[in-house]
């Protein structure tokens, strides 16, 4: 398979996953509130990524001071991006609660 065909298939898969997520979000909006849904989704995502972060951090074989310095450089940008992601997710989920999945 050529690189172009593979990239097109990956884009199609990404669009399909993105589209199916709206149906799941709509069903979730019928059961729980927007903020509860966002919290549950983000806790699951964090639980899935934390072992990977821990493994990659340990693989670098840095001492404790170097690890602390590395974490400090990513905390402020991470908080800013997290706040923006939360705002976008909250607005999207609140909008999904008030419309149909087809819209």
């Amino acid at each position: 398979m050529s690189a172009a065909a593979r990239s097109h298939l990956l884009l199609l898969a990404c669009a399909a996953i993105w589209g199916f997520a709206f149906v799941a979000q709509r069903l979730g909006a019928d059961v729980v509130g927007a903020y509860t849904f966002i919290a549950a989704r983000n806790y699951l995502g964090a639980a899935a990524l934390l072992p990977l972060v821990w493994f990659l951090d340990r693989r670098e074989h840095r001492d404790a001071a170097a690890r602390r310095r590395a974490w400090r450089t990513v905390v402020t940008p991470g908080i800013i991006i997290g706040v923006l992601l939360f705002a976008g997710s909250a607005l999207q989920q609140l909008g999904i609660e008030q419309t149909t999945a087809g819209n």
Side-chain angles (χ1 to χ4, degrees), residues 4-27:
R6 185 175 16 187
S7 64
H8 287 115
L9 285 175
L10 288 171
L11 283 172
L12 181 65
C14 181
I17 291 169
W18 188 278
F20 290 135
F22 281 106
V23 176
Q25 284 179 273
R26 180 68 192 150
L27 294 173

Side-chain angles (χ1 to χ4, degrees), residues 57-77:
D57 191 42
R58 294 292 177 190
R59 193 176 70 167
E60 294 293 322
H61 300 296
R62 296 181 287 198
D63 62 349
R67 279 198 300 272
R68 277 194 299 275
R69 281 192 305 274
W71 277 97
R72 282 190 202 123
T73 61
V74 299
V75 167
T76 302

Side-chain angles (χ1 to χ4, degrees), residues 34-53:
Y35 300 112
T36 304
F37 183 84
I38 293 168
R41 184 175 63 184
N42 288 338
Y43 282 133
L44 286 171
L49 286 177
L50 280 177
L52 178 66
V53 170

